[in-house]
Amino acid sequence: MGDPLGIGPEVVLRSLLDARLRKAARYVIHGWSPALLRAAQTLEIEPFWWRVPEGEAVEHASDAHDVLLVDPPEGTSPPDALLDHPPAPTKQGGALSFACVERAIADCMRPEGDPRRADALVTAPINKAAWALAGKGKYPGHTELLATRAHAKRFRMVFASDALRVALCTAHVPLMELRNVLTIGRVHETIDLAHDFCLELGVVSPRIAVCGLNPHAGEDGLLGDEDQRIITPAIHAAHQQGINAMGPFPADTIFREARLDEPSRRYDIVVAMYHDQGLIPVKLLAFDNAVNCTQGLPFVRTSPDHGTAYDIARSYTANASSTTRAIGLAVRLSKQRLVSRCTPPSWAASASRARRRS
């Protein structure tokens, strides 16, 4: 559900009103009844979910209802008065949103055959300051928490939209720390994960453009040697594994050649070196429909590409397009993974495994 004082409750409800989505899967909302009920009342939406407290026979209820709301365990809910607090980071809101994510991750990590196992996780926006107020500041965001709980060694933020696909080598890292984080291995892993993401989307032979770090991709070393010393060897390593990656390219021009709405595009995804390098073009071209995915987890995770939007949270005018697309992509990727588990491996999957072995 995300932060209870943000737009999470609203965009979740708006998205699940979509009849096509409701038919595509069964949904469990880890949330908080007062926040959802207030949003529903204001939006004049008849509650369409079945509420059960955490700890009861959730699996039986989920078999009978297409949308289930799992409330916090008894005695752990914040007071209803929290909803009267001005939209802003709060300790109680941070604790609640963190607990909801933890329970959702636990469902995704359940073994095959467990009736409460979830195939995918869609996260509504949280606020990092609220998590810090709640004592959870060691996690800069969802991605880092998910990787820790899932014991993922290789994971990256990848963004999908109608206009662009972008994978990030680094995410929540200060610019001044990039020199301590960016390595040949990290860039190569990102290229590899971007390649696998495209395969999951049905791109048969992904073409990957890799951004340089410095202006003009270093200008042959005149503007920094990281492009030649770190990024170029990573691209060469990808070539040796059969991945069609090119670069490093100047980041101020390469995104034009990867626009998905251009029939003549040369690339299917761009690998960016840091957060803003990749997300400025995504949010410029596709603010309302971009989806954030965490590639490298043992389950599907998607998220809308926006924050809690406290400034409009009480106006109930939020655009739910990104959340709707995040849910739709989660369903699509989950079904694709199910098909992959139940059918003989394709050449693409075999090639991916061969890369892992090498």
Side-chain angles (χ1 to χ4, degrees), residues 5-7 10 86-89 127 287 306-318:
L5 299 182
I7 63 172
E10 176 187 357
N127 182 273
F287 185 79
H306 58 70
T308 51
Y310 288 133
D311 57 326
I312 64 168
R314 292 285 164 80
S315 68
Y316 291 95
T317 58

Side-chain angles (χ1 to χ4, degrees), residues 83-100:
L83 292 177
D84 297 322
H85 190 285
T90 62
K91 178 180 179 180
Q92 291 173 318
L96 175 65
S97 64
F98 189 88
C100 288

Side-chain angles (χ1 to χ4, degrees), residues 268-317:
D268 301 297
I269 193 169
V270 178
V271 171
M273 293 300 109
Y274 57 92
H275 186 277
D276 286 10
Q277 186 185 61
L279 290 193
I280 288 174
V282 169
K283 294 192 176 185
L284 179 65
L285 296 175
F287 185 79
D288 290 330
N289 68 65
V291 176
N292 174 12
C293 308
T294 305
Q295 187 71 359
L297 299 176
F299 52 85
V300 172
R301 180 263 172 157
T302 66
S303 175
D305 183 24
H306 58 70
T308 51
Y310 288 133
D311 57 326
I312 64 168
R314 292 285 164 80
S315 68
Y316 291 95
T317 58

